[in-house]
Amino acid sequence: MREIFFLYWESYTLWYTGKIRDIVIKNVNKILKCRTPLLGYHMYKCNKCNRVRLIPHSCKSRFCNSCGKIMTDKWTEERLSDVLDVDYHHLVFTVPWQLRSITLANPKIMLDLIFKSVSISLQSWTKKYGGYIPGIYCIVHTFGSDIKYHPHFHVIITAGGLSIDKKKWVDSPGDYL
């Protein structure tokens, strides 16, 4: 990925001047400097042979295919220690194209609103049709795999949950929740 940015980033920014979000520019610039002396480095010296080795710092950008992978693995490991030993479902909620320009212009407000709507909808459904309170993880992605603006939510929801009176576990009534 970094090689692609080296080849095309400058011409891309010229073509789309004023249309690229600042956070995107900041992260691409970090990626371009990743593991180079431009971000600093640690210097190690062998006491026996006096050999010196410079280890450049990483960018720590979540968008970097090297650093982001490390962060994703760490995040996943931390989340796995939080989850219950039960079955789960993976659901995806996509922001309709009609709302994407509003979401892009007001990301904090809109993504919070959509997140709350997803959570309330799922909890209402499981309460009404299953008689339980589910466990939910919700992760927002603002871009698709093609790097185009495509806000969507990945939801990991337990296949069952705590009964409404909170006294027992209730299995989900079917395949979909």
Side-chain angles (χ1 to χ4, degrees):
M1 178 171 70
R2 188 168 146 193
E3 293 76 22
I4 293 169
F5 284 124
F6 272 123
L7 292 172
Y8 302 110
W9 181 244
E10 187 176 340
S11 59
Y12 181 84
T13 57
L14 291 173
W15 186 266
Y16 290 100
T17 300
K19 296 180 182 176
I20 306 170
R21 296 184 305 151
D22 290 341
I23 191 69
V24 173
I25 294 169
K26 178 182 175 183
N27 276 283
V28 171
N29 287 332
K30 285 170 76 173
I31 291 167
L32 290 171
K33 296 174 187 172
C34 189
R35 302 191 192 283
T36 70
L38 294 171
L39 292 178
Y41 54 86
H42 276 83
M43 180 171 64
Y44 296 95
K45 181 179 177 185
C46 177
N47 291 333
K48 292 181 181 179
C49 67
N50 287 330
R51 181 174 174 224
V52 174
R53 183 160 184 204
L54 302 178
I55 307 294
H57 294 166
S58 65
C59 67
K60 296 180 178 51
S61 170
R62 63 187 172 148
F63 300 106
C64 176
N65 57 332
S66 174
C67 299
K69 169 80 168 97
I70 294 166
M71 290 172 60
T72 299
D73 289 347
K74 182 179 181 216
W75 182 88
T76 301
E77 192 62 38
E78 289 169 357
R79 297 297 72 76
L80 286 174
S81 66
D82 294 340
V83 298
L84 300 171
D85 186 19
V86 298
D87 289 335
Y88 288 85
H89 297 286
H90 176 213
L91 308 172
V92 179
F93 292 83
T94 302
V95 176
W97 67 267
Q98 297 91 334
L99 296 177
R100 289 185 190 162
S101 60
I102 298 168
T103 304
L104 187 58
N106 304 285
K108 173 94 174 97
I109 293 168
M110 288 299 292
L111 293 175
D112 283 351
L113 179 64
I114 296 166
F115 171 81
K116 287 175 185 169
S117 299
V118 166
S119 178
I120 290 168
S121 296
L122 289 172
Q123 290 181 62
S124 297
W125 193 93
T126 58
K127 182 179 182 182
K128 182 176 180 177
Y129 296 104
Y132 64 89
I133 303 163
I136 300 172
Y137 264 112
C138 189
I139 298 103
V140 62
H141 287 171
T142 51
F143 290 86
S145 59
D146 59 0
I147 313 298
K148 290 181 183 166
Y149 187 66
H150 176 70
H152 58 284
F153 293 80
H154 289 269
V155 177
I156 307 299
I157 183 169
T158 54
L162 198 56
S163 62
I164 302 302
D165 64 7
K166 299 181 181 172
K167 293 185 177 179
K168 64 180 180 172
W169 181 264
V170 177
D171 287 327
S172 136
D175 288 341
Y176 293 103
L177 290 176

